[in-house]
Amino acid sequence: MNLIESPVTLLIGVAFLSYLLGSVPFGLVLTALSGQGDIRQIGSGNIGATNVLRTGNKKLAALTLFLDGFKGAFAVLVAWVMTPPELGDRAMAVAAIFAVMGHCYPVWLGFRGGKGVATGLGVVLAMSPVVGLACCLIWLVGAKITRISSAGALLAFACMPLMLFFLYGHSFTQSQKPLAGLFIALVVILRHGANIARLLKGTEPRIGQSGK
């Protein structure tokens, strides 16, 4: 077998490309280009859409949300296209994990990135549109009821692995999507450690508040 056709080599290539795609800091780039300054000096200091919203620019926040989700979905779809059918499921799972890791730990920003919500939803939408849409709905409903974006996000990512396991089974030999979903959910929840602490104290900023 040619080295370039080796499954391991292909998966390493998928992981590398997905990490690079995921690590593009759209929130930071867009706010800088629009004259909003360094988003890391505003609100929570996060580079995601929720913090971009604290600049008061809703269109910029919506564009950040879309692009962060799109880069995750694009990484998964590229992995599916560039690998043979027998590797497709595994390649999508690898791409999903590394796209989220790229967003959360981008090499360009000293491995200090976002919390992975939009990118995580993007990769899940590409891996399983039904589960992805369900997670988006849970996030929106949760955020609408509580007026706290992090509460909706945490609820969505807590439910996501359960839905993937229900649809695709729990055996690694059946599908790698549930395990990828579990890993991504754990990363996103861990990245929300400070938010969870504030939620328990009742001090988590609500949507529209400037934050500190």
Side-chain angles (χ1 to χ4, degrees):
M1 179 183 292
N2 192 310
L3 181 61
I4 199 170
E5 296 176 351
S6 165
V8 174
T9 303
L10 287 174
L11 292 176
I12 291 174
V14 165
F16 181 72
L17 178 60
S18 300
Y19 176 83
L20 291 180
L21 287 170
S23 66
V24 178
F26 283 112
L28 181 64
V29 172
L30 291 174
T31 50
L33 290 177
S34 66
Q36 300 285 344
D38 189 339
I39 189 62
R40 294 171 294 181
Q41 305 302 319
I42 299 171
S44 66
N46 191 264
I47 64 171
T50 299
N51 202 42
V52 173
L53 184 60
R54 294 191 176 106
T55 67
N57 193 322
K58 294 181 180 179
K59 291 182 179 179
L60 204 63
L63 183 58
T64 301
L65 179 67
F66 171 77
L67 290 174
D68 280 347
F70 176 79
K71 69 184 180 183
F74 185 68
V76 172
L77 293 175
V78 167
W80 179 64
V81 170
M82 70 181 286
T83 54
E86 62 271 18
L87 274 183
D89 191 273
R90 188 173 301 176
M92 291 172 76
V94 169
I97 290 172
F98 279 88
V100 172
M101 293 297 286
H103 178 79
C104 294
Y105 306 101
V107 64
W108 331 110
L109 304 179
F111 302 103
R112 293 189 294 271
K115 296 180 181 177
V117 174
T119 306
L121 290 174
V123 301
V124 175
L125 276 166
M127 284 198 302
S128 176
V130 172
V131 174
L133 288 172
C135 287
C136 289
L137 182 60
I138 293 170
W139 180 30
L140 290 173
V141 172
K144 178 72 174 178
I145 292 173
T146 63
R147 296 293 298 166
I148 301 174
S149 179
S150 61
L154 287 167
L155 180 60
F157 279 88
C159 294
M160 184 187 71
L162 300 176
M163 291 187 284
L164 287 171
F165 276 108
F166 178 78
L167 284 179
Y168 298 99
H170 62 278
S171 171
F172 185 73
T173 57
Q174 287 179 277
S175 174
Q176 289 75 50
K177 292 176 183 178
L179 292 177
L182 178 60
F183 182 89
I184 290 166
L186 290 174
V187 169
V188 171
I189 291 171
L190 287 173
R191 294 287 292 172
H192 280 77
N195 302 83
I196 294 171
R198 288 193 296 268
L199 284 168
L200 293 174
K201 293 178 181 178
T203 58
E204 178 75 339
R206 295 184 181 273
I207 296 171
Q209 289 182 339
S210 61
K212 293 183 180 180

